[in-house]
Amino acid sequence: MKQLILRVSPDLHQRISARAAREGKSVNAWIGKLLERSVDADLGDRHARARAKAAELGILSEIDAEPVDDATRRQVMEFLRPYGRAIMAELEADRNSR
């Protein structure tokens, strides 16, 4: 494993520490996951891009889930509609790829 030394302002460090704590992770683990998502988003994988965008917006939730039926998917899509066209487009593209 390699080390990465990064200089940040005290305010940014405090905000990062608070965010990591809210998610029950160490600062190192939280930043590592954030960097991993960002790098994956550059690989061209649309799922990685959607995950990176959700992480950037602070709305990413990682859970183990089973596929859902079309009616449930439509309900979720309607629920998410106020959260932006970009997210809706990614979700619709994901639905159409299956």
Side-chain angles (χ1 to χ4, degrees), residues 28-43:
N28 187 69
W30 187 81
I31 289 177
K33 192 68 169 176
L34 179 68
L35 292 173
E36 185 177 316
R37 288 182 192 129
S38 297
V39 171
D40 286 350
D42 288 341
L43 297 177

Side-chain angles (χ1 to χ4, degrees), residues 11-94:
D11 177 63
L12 179 56
H13 186 274
Q14 182 180 13
R15 290 184 290 145
I16 291 169
S17 296
R19 176 72 179 267
R22 281 194 309 272
E23 295 185 19
K25 296 182 180 177
S26 69
V27 168
N28 187 69
W30 187 81
I31 289 177
K33 192 68 169 176
L34 179 68
L35 292 173
E36 185 177 316
R37 288 182 192 129
S38 297
V39 171
D40 286 350
D42 288 341
L43 297 177
D45 177 280
R46 63 187 165 74
H47 293 289
R49 287 195 311 271
R51 283 189 300 275
K53 185 63 175 177
E56 177 187 327
L57 294 171
I59 60 172
L60 180 67
S61 178
E62 294 184 17
I63 59 171
D64 292 327
E66 296 295 321
V68 297
D69 58 75
D70 285 337
T72 302
R73 182 176 284 113
R74 280 192 292 276
Q75 286 177 327
V76 170
M77 298 286 275
E78 283 302 314
F79 173 78
L80 293 174
R81 191 170 305 283
Y83 296 103
R85 290 186 177 137
I87 293 172
M88 292 299 295
E90 289 296 327
L91 291 172
E92 185 68 21
D94 179 53

